[in-house]
Amino acid sequence: MLEQGAPSYFEIYDIPRIVNIFLSNQEYVIYLFFILIIAGLLKKHDVLVPVYSFFLDKCKSSRLFLFLTSSTLGVLPIPGRVSVSAALLDSIPTSSSENRKKLGIIDYVSTHHYYFWSPLEKTVILPMAVLSLTYTGFISLIWPMLAVTFAYIFWVITHLADDNFIAVQKNIQPVKLSYITRYLMPLLLGIAGIIAGIDKMVCMGFLVVYYTIVTVENDILGIVKKINWGLLASVMLIIVIGNFFKSYTDEVKQFIESYTSVNDAIIMVAILGFIGSFLLGSSSRFAAISVLSASIFGIAWLPLFFAVDFAGYLVSPVHKCTIIGKMYFGTNVLEYYKYLIAWALLVVATGGITTYTML
């Protein structure tokens, strides 16, 4: 117990509040669990490989192919999507060696928009869970950064690639449209259902059952054993920490104000968030940092913290996508940073303006 007269910032014996901190919003862990099972089924059975071939066959221009790559691979719940898209691009001939090096930048930029909007991403799941946001509520805060990102992707693709940039070869064994509708459309419909407001657990639970049946998977326990349990545990912990800050918002602010001003604290937290995201180079960790920061200072600050931490993640030297692009295409790291720093500055400026208009 604190001595009488000492500032009582936190009440440690409020049992109902403590129980709420540990249990509130944990359904998002089950939701992510469903997503990881779907990912395991798709990966084990190579379900979508023919779908990729279908798009390769149908595209007549380099720009169209690159757009479709970012639109499809970007929303699939498959770990290492940049590796998948890079592997596909790696098999496609380019008109010159210089164009080939540009593919690394194009692949990187065109497959990172989903962090701002995909309901399958931890960067969307965590803010919804910790800040009690609906999907619509999250998008209403993030859409300016998403719009800027899409505009930047369009500029990068049109700037670096023309319609003769790559030569797409036809698949020897054409894929039937029925295969596309059987394996890709249910996934896209599930995502659309979540966006439309259908319960996320219902959508993902249905997809787990659907893909288990359609792939004739007889060892679902084997899929379950291979999922990333550490990821689930970390998400659960982040939600608990977020619930704590959310439950004790006034006390945390009072604690901060006793040492420094709120404005100074916000600047300090933003800088530390950027440094943390820069050093860790992880999408889940940058999302956790931005969400925990917003849970202290308020939802209106989420766009700024999200933008700053995303920028740190984007230019992180340990971000694996940079290494993947260099490995596949021999893209110069300095070339990466020319485009990534410009993108990061645009996102931070947009996030700052968005927050400013909300205060």
Side-chain angles (χ1 to χ4, degrees):
M1 292 290 291
L2 294 170
E3 297 180 4
Q4 189 170 359
S8 179
Y9 294 117
F10 308 106
E11 176 56 63
I12 61 175
Y13 297 110
D14 190 343
I15 302 302
R17 182 185 280 192
I18 292 174
V19 171
N20 184 67
I21 286 172
F22 278 92
L23 299 183
S24 180
N25 299 320
Q26 292 295 352
E27 70 272 12
Y28 282 87
V29 176
I30 302 174
Y31 171 58
L32 184 57
F33 174 72
F34 286 162
I35 292 175
L36 293 176
I37 292 178
I38 296 169
L41 289 168
L42 297 180
K43 183 177 181 180
K44 178 179 179 179
H45 296 278
D46 291 328
V47 169
L48 295 174
V49 171
V51 176
Y52 305 148
S53 298
F54 174 85
F55 285 118
L56 288 173
D57 290 340
K58 298 303 179 183
C59 292
K60 301 302 180 184
S61 74
S62 300
R63 288 170 177 164
L64 178 59
F65 168 75
L66 294 170
F67 173 76
L68 290 175
T69 298
S70 64
S71 298
T72 55
L73 298 181
V75 302
L76 302 178
I78 300 174
R81 278 156 295 200
V82 171
S83 300
V84 176
S85 59
L88 288 172
L89 291 173
D90 186 48
S91 65
I92 300 170
T94 56
S95 56
S96 69
S97 59
E98 287 303 312
N99 281 346
R100 181 168 184 76
K101 293 179 180 178
K102 295 176 183 178
L103 283 178
I105 298 169
I106 292 172
D107 182 48
Y108 189 120
V109 173
S110 64
T111 55
H112 279 67
H113 59 81
Y114 47 82
Y115 288 134
F116 294 97
W117 68 270
S118 174
L120 303 178
E121 286 300 317
K122 297 178 288 296
T123 53
V124 177
I125 295 172
L126 285 175
M128 290 172 60
V130 174
L131 302 176
S132 298
L133 289 168
T134 63
Y135 179 78
T136 303
F138 173 78
I139 291 297
S140 69
L141 297 171
I142 300 299
W143 75 263
M145 288 181 282
L146 176 61
V148 166
T149 292
F150 271 125
Y152 189 70
I153 291 172
F154 176 80
W155 178 82
V156 168
I157 292 176
T158 55
H159 177 69
L160 293 180
D162 56 29
D163 282 339
N164 297 315
F165 184 79
I166 57 177
V168 179
Q169 297 178 339
K170 291 185 177 181
N171 193 8
I172 298 175
Q173 298 179 342
V175 179
K176 294 181 179 180
L177 183 60
S178 60
Y179 189 95
I180 306 294
T181 57
R182 185 183 309 123
Y183 292 107
L184 179 61
M185 289 305 297
L187 181 61
L188 297 181
L189 289 174
I191 296 171
I194 296 173
I195 295 173
I198 300 175
D199 187 85
K200 58 188 177 297
M201 304 289 283
V202 172
C203 292
M204 289 300 108
F206 169 78
L207 288 177
V208 168
V209 175
Y210 177 83
Y211 282 112
T212 301
I213 295 173
V214 80
T215 58
V216 196
E217 176 57 55
N218 297 319
D219 185 23
I220 193 65
L221 288 179
I223 298 292
V224 172
K225 290 178 181 178
K226 292 181 180 180
I227 67 174
N228 190 337
W229 290 98
L231 173 61
L232 288 175
S234 65
V235 169
M236 183 182 297
L237 178 61
I238 290 166
I239 290 175
V240 170
I241 297 173
N243 288 342
F244 172 83
F245 284 133
K246 185 178 175 182
S247 181
Y248 289 94
T249 296
D250 293 337
E251 291 88 342
V252 171
K253 284 184 177 179
Q254 183 185 356
F255 181 79
I256 292 173
E257 289 171 358
S258 67
Y259 291 96
T260 183
S261 69
V262 173
N263 288 337
D264 288 342
I266 289 172
I267 293 172
M268 178 186 68
V269 169
I271 292 174
L272 291 176
F274 177 88
I275 294 173
S277 300
F278 179 81
L279 293 176
L280 296 172
S282 165
S283 61
S284 60
R285 288 176 176 81
F286 103 70
I289 293 170
S290 62
V291 166
L292 295 179
S293 300
S295 68
I296 296 173
F297 296 101
I299 292 177
W301 290 96
L302 177 63
L304 176 62
F305 289 130
F306 193 99
V308 170
D309 297 338
F310 175 77
Y313 163 70
L314 203 62
V315 300
S316 171
V318 296
H319 189 159
K320 63 181 179 298
C321 298
T322 306
I323 300 171
I324 291 170
K326 184 174 179 59
M327 177 181 69
Y328 274 106
F329 310 112
T331 308
N332 188 287
V333 173
L334 293 179
E335 283 297 306
Y336 269 115
Y337 279 102
K338 272 183 11 183
Y339 290 92
L340 296 183
I341 290 173
W343 185 10
L345 291 174
L346 283 172
V347 169
V348 170
T350 305
I353 293 171
T354 302
T355 290
Y356 178 78
T357 59
M358 295 176 62
L359 296 176

